[in-house]
Amino acid sequence: MNFYRGDLHIHTVLSPCADLEMTPANIVERAKKSGIEIIGITDHNSTKNALLVKKLAEKVGIYVLTGAEVTTKEEVHCLAFFEFEGQLSQFQQFLDEQITIIPNPDGHFGYQPVVDENDNILELIPNYLPAALKSGIHEVQQKVECLDGLFIPAHVDRPANGLFSQLGFIPRGLKFDAMGISQFSSEKDVRKHHVLGNEITLIRNSDAHNLQQIGEICTSFWMGGMNFSEIKMALNQQKNRFVEVK
């Protein structure tokens, strides 16, 4: 087995809460300098900068999970990742159809640019991206599963927008590959407080909104190589693959 450092929760400049310096090129450069080998691109309810990050990262040997941080109807934040561009495109269509339309005139809530590799603005998303979807957490999870993606409730320990803060429990029948925890809680404390057994994989990520945060918090992956299927096996503790939170 090989050891890899992963940070699976990074926002680009497309997220209105992220710094304008969070361009795809800058993210890749910072991840490389930080020794991060696997990154997840998780803009709020949009995948539109993810493929460019992947393209740039491949040139320097970084593996990118392309996806989004989804806000469900219950306002639970969940990470969704996909292996192929076609799956990502189908999920983007789902997001566009399901998001609640809240106008963001003149970047009132923050600018939301789709950019090219030279940081030129290609598009400004007119509606507020972190708005909740019309779909509940089960519907979102089932859509991700239908597209053979990874589904990870994010920062479940946080007092807002986490699975437990919003719902108070793990809904019956909800399938997930792992749960994310924030930098403010230890794995031991989260497992004890929410009575989570070791069969549930926990990962910790930076939730980076500025360049300095990338790689400050990461998860260790023990697996056979850097690809989607290996990451999925590690998250699900299969075939001697696993992850560690330190």
Short mmCIF file of all heavy atoms in Angstrom, two decimals, residues 120-176:
data_model
loop_
_atom_site.label_atom_id
_atom_site.label_comp_id
_atom_site.label_asym_id
_atom_site.label_seq_id
_atom_site.Cartn_x
_atom_site.Cartn_y
_atom_site.Cartn_z
N ASN A 120 -8.95 34.53 -16.51
CA ASN A 120 -9.93 35.40 -17.16
C ASN A 120 -11.34 34.92 -16.81
O ASN A 120 -11.60 33.71 -16.77
CB ASN A 120 -9.75 35.37 -18.68
CG ASN A 120 -8.41 35.92 -19.10
OD1 ASN A 120 -8.02 37.00 -18.69
ND2 ASN A 120 -7.69 35.16 -19.93
N ILE A 121 -12.24 35.86 -16.59
CA ILE A 121 -13.62 35.51 -16.23
C ILE A 121 -14.39 35.11 -17.49
O ILE A 121 -14.47 35.88 -18.45
CB ILE A 121 -14.31 36.68 -15.52
CG1 ILE A 121 -13.62 36.96 -14.18
CG2 ILE A 121 -15.79 36.37 -15.29
CD1 ILE A 121 -14.16 38.18 -13.46
N LEU A 122 -14.94 33.91 -17.47
CA LEU A 122 -15.75 33.42 -18.58
C LEU A 122 -17.23 33.64 -18.35
O LEU A 122 -18.00 33.80 -19.30
CB LEU A 122 -15.49 31.92 -18.78
CG LEU A 122 -14.05 31.50 -19.06
CD1 LEU A 122 -13.95 29.98 -19.16
CD2 LEU A 122 -13.53 32.15 -20.33
N GLU A 123 -17.62 33.62 -17.09
CA GLU A 123 -19.05 33.72 -16.74
C GLU A 123 -19.16 34.14 -15.28
O GLU A 123 -18.35 33.75 -14.44
CB GLU A 123 -19.71 32.35 -16.94
CG GLU A 123 -21.17 32.28 -16.56
CD GLU A 123 -21.74 30.86 -16.66
OE1 GLU A 123 -20.97 29.93 -16.96
OE2 GLU A 123 -22.95 30.70 -16.41
N LEU A 124 -20.15 34.96 -14.98
CA LEU A 124 -20.50 35.28 -13.60
C LEU A 124 -21.87 34.66 -13.31
O LEU A 124 -22.85 34.97 -13.99
CB LEU A 124 -20.55 36.80 -13.38
CG LEU A 124 -19.22 37.53 -13.25
CD1 LEU A 124 -19.44 39.03 -13.21
CD2 LEU A 124 -18.47 37.07 -11.99
N ILE A 125 -21.92 33.76 -12.33
CA ILE A 125 -23.17 33.10 -12.00
C ILE A 125 -24.09 34.12 -11.32
O ILE A 125 -23.72 34.71 -10.30
CB ILE A 125 -22.93 31.89 -11.08
CG1 ILE A 125 -21.91 30.94 -11.72
CG2 ILE A 125 -24.25 31.17 -10.80
CD1 ILE A 125 -22.32 30.37 -13.05
N PRO A 126 -25.30 34.34 -11.85
CA PRO A 126 -26.14 35.44 -11.36
C PRO A 126 -26.90 35.15 -10.08
O PRO A 126 -27.32 36.09 -9.39
CB PRO A 126 -27.11 35.67 -12.52
CG PRO A 126 -27.23 34.32 -13.17
CD PRO A 126 -25.87 33.70 -13.05
N ASN A 127 -27.11 33.88 -9.75
CA ASN A 127 -27.90 33.53 -8.57
C ASN A 127 -27.00 32.97 -7.47
O ASN A 127 -25.97 32.36 -7.73
CB ASN A 127 -28.98 32.51 -8.94
CG ASN A 127 -29.95 33.05 -9.96
OD1 ASN A 127 -30.44 34.18 -9.83
ND2 ASN A 127 -30.22 32.28 -11.00
N TYR A 128 -27.41 33.19 -6.23
CA TYR A 128 -26.63 32.83 -5.05
C TYR A 128 -26.42 31.32 -4.97
O TYR A 128 -27.37 30.56 -4.77
CB TYR A 128 -27.36 33.34 -3.82
CG TYR A 128 -26.67 33.10 -2.50
CD1 TYR A 128 -25.37 33.57 -2.26
CD2 TYR A 128 -27.32 32.43 -1.48
CE1 TYR A 128 -24.75 33.37 -1.05
CE2 TYR A 128 -26.71 32.23 -0.24
CZ TYR A 128 -25.42 32.70 -0.04
OH TYR A 128 -24.81 32.50 1.18
N LEU A 129 -25.17 30.88 -5.11
CA LEU A 129 -24.89 29.45 -5.22
C LEU A 129 -25.10 28.65 -3.93
O LEU A 129 -25.51 27.49 -4.01
CB LEU A 129 -23.46 29.24 -5.74
CG LEU A 129 -23.27 29.51 -7.23
CD1 LEU A 129 -21.80 29.42 -7.61
CD2 LEU A 129 -24.09 28.53 -8.06
N PRO A 130 -24.82 29.18 -2.73
CA PRO A 130 -25.03 28.35 -1.54
C PRO A 130 -26.48 28.12 -1.14
O PRO A 130 -26.75 27.45 -0.14
CB PRO A 130 -24.29 29.14 -0.44
CG PRO A 130 -23.31 29.99 -1.16
CD PRO A 130 -24.01 30.37 -2.43
N ALA A 131 -27.43 28.64 -1.91
CA ALA A 131 -28.84 28.46 -1.57
C ALA A 131 -29.20 26.98 -1.53
O ALA A 131 -28.62 26.15 -2.24
CB ALA A 131 -29.71 29.18 -2.60
N ALA A 132 -30.16 26.64 -0.69
CA ALA A 132 -30.57 25.25 -0.54
C ALA A 132 -31.26 24.73 -1.80
O ALA A 132 -31.93 25.47 -2.52
CB ALA A 132 -31.51 25.10 0.64
N LEU A 133 -31.06 23.45 -2.06
CA LEU A 133 -31.79 22.80 -3.15
C LEU A 133 -33.23 22.52 -2.72
O LEU A 133 -33.57 22.56 -1.54
CB LEU A 133 -31.12 21.47 -3.52
CG LEU A 133 -29.67 21.47 -3.99
CD1 LEU A 133 -29.32 20.08 -4.55
CD2 LEU A 133 -29.39 22.54 -5.01
N LYS A 134 -34.04 22.19 -3.69
CA LYS A 134 -35.41 21.75 -3.41
C LYS A 134 -35.43 20.28 -3.02
O LYS A 134 -36.45 19.78 -2.54
CB LYS A 134 -36.29 21.99 -4.63
CG LYS A 134 -36.35 23.44 -5.09
CD LYS A 134 -36.97 23.56 -6.46
CE LYS A 134 -36.81 24.97 -7.01
NZ LYS A 134 -37.25 25.07 -8.42
N SER A 135 -34.33 19.59 -3.22
CA SER A 135 -34.22 18.16 -2.93
C SER A 135 -33.66 17.94 -1.53
O SER A 135 -32.72 18.62 -1.10
CB SER A 135 -33.30 17.48 -3.94
OG SER A 135 -33.81 17.59 -5.24
N GLY A 136 -34.23 16.94 -0.84
CA GLY A 136 -33.75 16.57 0.47
C GLY A 136 -32.50 15.71 0.40
O GLY A 136 -32.07 15.28 -0.68
N ILE A 137 -31.94 15.40 1.56
CA ILE A 137 -30.67 14.69 1.60
C ILE A 137 -30.76 13.31 0.97
O ILE A 137 -29.82 12.86 0.30
CB ILE A 137 -30.14 14.62 3.05
CG1 ILE A 137 -28.68 14.12 3.06
CG2 ILE A 137 -31.04 13.79 3.95
CD1 ILE A 137 -28.00 14.28 4.40
N HIS A 138 -31.88 12.61 1.15
CA HIS A 138 -32.02 11.29 0.53
C HIS A 138 -32.02 11.39 -1.00
O HIS A 138 -31.40 10.57 -1.69
CB HIS A 138 -33.30 10.60 1.00
CG HIS A 138 -33.15 9.86 2.29
ND1 HIS A 138 -33.65 10.34 3.48
CD2 HIS A 138 -32.54 8.69 2.59
CE1 HIS A 138 -33.37 9.49 4.45
NE2 HIS A 138 -32.70 8.48 3.94
N GLU A 139 -32.72 12.39 -1.52
CA GLU A 139 -32.79 12.56 -2.97
C GLU A 139 -31.41 12.89 -3.55
O GLU A 139 -31.03 12.37 -4.61
CB GLU A 139 -33.77 13.67 -3.33
CG GLU A 139 -35.21 13.38 -2.97
CD GLU A 139 -36.08 14.61 -3.14
OE1 GLU A 139 -36.59 14.82 -4.25
OE2 GLU A 139 -36.24 15.37 -2.16
N VAL A 140 -30.67 13.74 -2.86
CA VAL A 140 -29.33 14.09 -3.32
C VAL A 140 -28.43 12.86 -3.29
O VAL A 140 -27.71 12.56 -4.25
CB VAL A 140 -28.73 15.22 -2.47
CG1 VAL A 140 -27.28 15.48 -2.88
CG2 VAL A 140 -29.55 16.50 -2.62
N GLN A 141 -28.47 12.13 -2.18
CA GLN A 141 -27.64 10.93 -2.05
C GLN A 141 -27.98 9.91 -3.13
O GLN A 141 -27.08 9.29 -3.73
CB GLN A 141 -27.84 10.32 -0.66
CG GLN A 141 -27.04 9.04 -0.42
CD GLN A 141 -27.86 7.79 -0.68
OE1 GLN A 141 -28.95 7.63 -0.15
NE2 GLN A 141 -27.34 6.88 -1.49
N GLN A 142 -29.25 9.74 -3.41
CA GLN A 142 -29.65 8.77 -4.43
C GLN A 142 -29.21 9.20 -5.82
O GLN A 142 -28.85 8.36 -6.65
CB GLN A 142 -31.17 8.57 -4.36
CG GLN A 142 -31.61 7.80 -3.13
CD GLN A 142 -33.10 7.91 -2.84
OE1 GLN A 142 -33.86 8.48 -3.64
NE2 GLN A 142 -33.53 7.39 -1.70
N LYS A 143 -29.22 10.51 -6.08
CA LYS A 143 -28.74 11.00 -7.37
C LYS A 143 -27.25 10.73 -7.52
O LYS A 143 -26.78 10.29 -8.58
CB LYS A 143 -29.02 12.50 -7.49
CG LYS A 143 -28.61 13.09 -8.84
CD LYS A 143 -29.42 12.50 -9.99
CE LYS A 143 -29.09 13.16 -11.31
NZ LYS A 143 -29.89 12.60 -12.43
N VAL A 144 -26.49 10.99 -6.46
CA VAL A 144 -25.05 10.73 -6.48
C VAL A 144 -24.79 9.24 -6.69
O VAL A 144 -23.94 8.84 -7.50
CB VAL A 144 -24.39 11.22 -5.18
CG1 VAL A 144 -22.91 10.82 -5.14
CG2 VAL A 144 -24.53 12.73 -5.05
N GLU A 145 -25.53 8.40 -5.99
CA GLU A 145 -25.37 6.95 -6.12
C GLU A 145 -25.70 6.50 -7.53
O GLU A 145 -25.01 5.65 -8.11
CB GLU A 145 -26.26 6.24 -5.11
CG GLU A 145 -26.13 4.72 -5.14
CD GLU A 145 -27.06 4.04 -4.16
OE1 GLU A 145 -28.04 4.67 -3.71
OE2 GLU A 145 -26.81 2.85 -3.84
N CYS A 146 -26.75 7.05 -8.11
CA CYS A 146 -27.17 6.70 -9.47
C CYS A 146 -26.07 7.01 -10.48
O CYS A 146 -25.92 6.31 -11.49
CB CYS A 146 -28.44 7.45 -9.82
SG CYS A 146 -29.08 7.14 -11.48
N LEU A 147 -25.28 8.05 -10.19
CA LEU A 147 -24.19 8.46 -11.08
C LEU A 147 -22.85 7.85 -10.66
O LEU A 147 -21.80 8.27 -11.16
CB LEU A 147 -24.09 9.98 -11.11
CG LEU A 147 -25.29 10.71 -11.74
CD1 LEU A 147 -25.17 12.22 -11.52
CD2 LEU A 147 -25.39 10.39 -13.22
N ASP A 148 -22.88 6.87 -9.75
CA ASP A 148 -21.67 6.16 -9.30
C ASP A 148 -20.66 7.11 -8.65
O ASP A 148 -19.45 6.95 -8.80
CB ASP A 148 -21.00 5.41 -10.46
CG ASP A 148 -21.87 4.30 -11.02
OD1 ASP A 148 -22.55 3.63 -10.22
OD2 ASP A 148 -21.90 4.13 -12.24
N GLY A 149 -21.17 8.09 -7.91
CA GLY A 149 -20.29 9.05 -7.26
C GLY A 149 -19.99 8.71 -5.82
O GLY A 149 -20.38 7.66 -5.30
N LEU A 150 -19.26 9.60 -5.18
CA LEU A 150 -18.97 9.52 -3.75
C LEU A 150 -19.85 10.53 -3.02
O LEU A 150 -19.98 11.68 -3.47
CB LEU A 150 -17.50 9.85 -3.47
CG LEU A 150 -16.44 8.91 -4.05
CD1 LEU A 150 -15.06 9.49 -3.81
CD2 LEU A 150 -16.55 7.53 -3.42
N PHE A 151 -20.40 10.12 -1.89
CA PHE A 151 -21.29 11.00 -1.11
C PHE A 151 -20.77 11.08 0.31
O PHE A 151 -20.64 10.05 0.99
CB PHE A 151 -22.72 10.46 -1.13
CG PHE A 151 -23.71 11.34 -0.42
CD1 PHE A 151 -24.16 12.51 -1.02
CD2 PHE A 151 -24.18 11.01 0.84
CE1 PHE A 151 -25.08 13.33 -0.37
CE2 PHE A 151 -25.10 11.82 1.49
CZ PHE A 151 -25.55 12.98 0.89
N ILE A 152 -20.48 12.31 0.76
CA ILE A 152 -19.85 12.51 2.07
C ILE A 152 -20.51 13.69 2.78
O ILE A 152 -20.28 14.85 2.41
CB ILE A 152 -18.34 12.80 1.92
CG1 ILE A 152 -17.64 11.66 1.16
CG2 ILE A 152 -17.69 13.01 3.28
CD1 ILE A 152 -16.20 11.97 0.79
N PRO A 153 -21.35 13.47 3.79
CA PRO A 153 -21.83 14.59 4.59
C PRO A 153 -20.64 15.37 5.17
O PRO A 153 -19.72 14.77 5.73
CB PRO A 153 -22.65 13.91 5.69
CG PRO A 153 -23.09 12.62 5.07
CD PRO A 153 -21.93 12.19 4.22
N ALA A 154 -20.66 16.69 5.01
CA ALA A 154 -19.51 17.51 5.36
C ALA A 154 -19.60 18.03 6.80
O ALA A 154 -20.69 18.20 7.34
CB ALA A 154 -19.39 18.68 4.39
N HIS A 155 -18.43 18.28 7.38
CA HIS A 155 -18.29 18.88 8.72
C HIS A 155 -19.49 18.59 9.62
O HIS A 155 -20.21 19.49 10.06
CB HIS A 155 -18.03 20.39 8.63
CG HIS A 155 -18.86 21.15 7.63
ND1 HIS A 155 -20.23 21.28 7.72
CD2 HIS A 155 -18.51 21.83 6.51
CE1 HIS A 155 -20.68 22.00 6.73
NE2 HIS A 155 -19.66 22.36 5.97
N VAL A 156 -19.70 17.30 9.90
CA VAL A 156 -20.89 16.87 10.65
C VAL A 156 -20.88 17.36 12.09
O VAL A 156 -21.91 17.34 12.77
CB VAL A 156 -21.04 15.33 10.62
CG1 VAL A 156 -21.20 14.83 9.19
CG2 VAL A 156 -19.87 14.63 11.32
N ASP A 157 -19.72 17.80 12.57
CA ASP A 157 -19.60 18.25 13.96
C ASP A 157 -19.92 19.73 14.13
O ASP A 157 -20.01 20.22 15.26
CB ASP A 157 -18.17 18.00 14.45
CG ASP A 157 -17.13 18.67 13.56
OD1 ASP A 157 -17.16 18.43 12.33
OD2 ASP A 157 -16.29 19.43 14.07
N ARG A 158 -20.09 20.46 13.05
CA ARG A 158 -20.28 21.90 13.16
C ARG A 158 -21.68 22.25 13.66
O ARG A 158 -22.64 21.51 13.44
CB ARG A 158 -20.03 22.58 11.81
CG ARG A 158 -18.57 22.86 11.57
CD ARG A 158 -18.27 23.62 10.30
NE ARG A 158 -19.36 24.37 9.72
CZ ARG A 158 -19.25 25.07 8.60
NH1 ARG A 158 -18.10 25.11 7.95
NH2 ARG A 158 -20.28 25.72 8.11
N PRO A 159 -21.82 23.41 14.32
CA PRO A 159 -23.13 23.80 14.86
C PRO A 159 -24.11 24.32 13.82
O PRO A 159 -25.25 24.63 14.16
CB PRO A 159 -22.77 24.91 15.87
CG PRO A 159 -21.49 25.48 15.36
CD PRO A 159 -20.74 24.32 14.77
N ALA A 160 -23.67 24.41 12.58
CA ALA A 160 -24.57 24.83 11.50
C ALA A 160 -24.20 24.07 10.23
O ALA A 160 -23.03 23.83 9.96
CB ALA A 160 -24.47 26.33 11.25
N ASN A 161 -25.22 23.70 9.47
CA ASN A 161 -25.06 23.04 8.16
C ASN A 161 -24.40 21.67 8.23
O ASN A 161 -23.95 21.15 7.21
CB ASN A 161 -24.28 23.93 7.19
CG ASN A 161 -24.96 25.27 6.95
OD1 ASN A 161 -24.39 26.32 7.23
ND2 ASN A 161 -26.19 25.24 6.47
N GLY A 162 -24.34 21.09 9.42
CA GLY A 162 -23.85 19.72 9.55
C GLY A 162 -25.02 18.76 9.68
O GLY A 162 -26.15 19.15 10.01
N LEU A 163 -24.77 17.50 9.43
CA LEU A 163 -25.83 16.49 9.49
C LEU A 163 -26.52 16.48 10.85
O LEU A 163 -27.75 16.45 10.94
CB LEU A 163 -25.23 15.12 9.18
CG LEU A 163 -26.20 13.93 9.20
CD1 LEU A 163 -27.16 14.01 8.03
CD2 LEU A 163 -25.42 12.61 9.15
N PHE A 164 -25.73 16.52 11.91
CA PHE A 164 -26.31 16.40 13.25
C PHE A 164 -26.94 17.71 13.73
O PHE A 164 -27.94 17.70 14.44
CB PHE A 164 -25.26 15.90 14.23
CG PHE A 164 -24.77 14.52 13.91
CD1 PHE A 164 -23.44 14.30 13.56
CD2 PHE A 164 -25.63 13.43 13.92
CE1 PHE A 164 -22.99 13.03 13.24
CE2 PHE A 164 -25.19 12.16 13.60
CZ PHE A 164 -23.85 11.96 13.26
N SER A 165 -26.38 18.85 13.33
CA SER A 165 -26.97 20.12 13.75
C SER A 165 -28.31 20.35 13.06
O SER A 165 -29.23 20.93 13.64
CB SER A 165 -26.03 21.29 13.43
OG SER A 165 -25.91 21.50 12.04
N GLN A 166 -28.44 19.87 11.82
CA GLN A 166 -29.67 20.11 11.07
C GLN A 166 -30.73 19.04 11.31
O GLN A 166 -31.92 19.35 11.34
CB GLN A 166 -29.36 20.18 9.57
CG GLN A 166 -28.37 21.27 9.18
CD GLN A 166 -28.75 22.64 9.68
OE1 GLN A 166 -28.10 23.21 10.54
NE2 GLN A 166 -29.85 23.17 9.17
N LEU A 167 -30.30 17.80 11.46
CA LEU A 167 -31.26 16.69 11.58
C LEU A 167 -31.23 16.02 12.95
O LEU A 167 -32.23 15.45 13.38
CB LEU A 167 -30.99 15.64 10.49
CG LEU A 167 -31.09 16.13 9.05
CD1 LEU A 167 -30.79 14.99 8.08
CD2 LEU A 167 -32.46 16.71 8.76
N GLY A 168 -30.08 16.04 13.60
CA GLY A 168 -29.97 15.44 14.92
C GLY A 168 -29.63 13.97 14.92
O GLY A 168 -29.36 13.39 15.98
N PHE A 169 -29.61 13.34 13.75
CA PHE A 169 -29.37 11.90 13.67
C PHE A 169 -29.02 11.54 12.23
O PHE A 169 -29.14 12.37 11.32
CB PHE A 169 -30.61 11.12 14.11
CG PHE A 169 -31.84 11.44 13.29
CD1 PHE A 169 -32.18 10.69 12.18
CD2 PHE A 169 -32.65 12.53 13.63
CE1 PHE A 169 -33.30 10.99 11.42
CE2 PHE A 169 -33.78 12.84 12.86
CZ PHE A 169 -34.10 12.07 11.76
N ILE A 170 -28.59 10.29 12.04
CA ILE A 170 -28.36 9.78 10.69
C ILE A 170 -29.67 9.21 10.18
O ILE A 170 -30.21 8.26 10.76
CB ILE A 170 -27.28 8.68 10.69
CG1 ILE A 170 -25.96 9.22 11.25
CG2 ILE A 170 -27.07 8.14 9.28
CD1 ILE A 170 -24.88 8.16 11.43
N PRO A 171 -30.24 9.77 9.13
CA PRO A 171 -31.54 9.28 8.63
C PRO A 171 -31.48 7.81 8.22
O PRO A 171 -30.48 7.35 7.66
CB PRO A 171 -31.81 10.17 7.42
CG PRO A 171 -30.98 11.39 7.63
CD PRO A 171 -29.75 10.91 8.35
N ARG A 172 -32.53 7.11 8.51
CA ARG A 172 -32.62 5.70 8.14
C ARG A 172 -32.46 5.54 6.62
O ARG A 172 -33.09 6.25 5.84
CB ARG A 172 -33.97 5.12 8.57
CG ARG A 172 -34.12 3.62 8.31
CD ARG A 172 -35.53 3.16 8.63
NE ARG A 172 -35.85 3.37 10.03
CZ ARG A 172 -35.60 2.49 11.00
NH1 ARG A 172 -35.02 1.34 10.69
NH2 ARG A 172 -35.93 2.75 12.25
N GLY A 173 -31.61 4.63 6.23
CA GLY A 173 -31.43 4.33 4.81
C GLY A 173 -30.46 5.23 4.07
O GLY A 173 -30.21 5.03 2.88
N LEU A 174 -29.90 6.23 4.76
CA LEU A 174 -28.95 7.12 4.09
C LEU A 174 -27.62 6.40 3.87
O LEU A 174 -27.02 5.88 4.81
CB LEU A 174 -28.72 8.38 4.92
CG LEU A 174 -27.82 9.44 4.27
CD1 LEU A 174 -28.54 10.10 3.10
CD2 LEU A 174 -27.40 10.50 5.29
N LYS A 175 -27.16 6.38 2.64
CA LYS A 175 -25.89 5.74 2.30
C LYS A 175 -24.82 6.82 2.10
O LYS A 175 -25.08 7.85 1.49
CB LYS A 175 -26.03 4.91 1.02
CG LYS A 175 -27.05 3.79 1.11
CD LYS A 175 -27.14 3.06 -0.23
CE LYS A 175 -28.19 1.96 -0.20
NZ LYS A 175 -28.30 1.28 -1.52
N PHE A 176 -23.64 6.57 2.62
CA PHE A 176 -22.54 7.52 2.44
C PHE A 176 -21.23 6.77 2.49
O PHE A 176 -21.12 5.68 3.06
CB PHE A 176 -22.59 8.62 3.51
CG PHE A 176 -22.74 8.11 4.92
CD1 PHE A 176 -21.64 7.76 5.68
CD2 PHE A 176 -24.01 7.96 5.48
CE1 PHE A 176 -21.78 7.29 6.98
CE2 PHE A 176 -24.17 7.48 6.78
CZ PHE A 176 -23.04 7.15 7.52
#
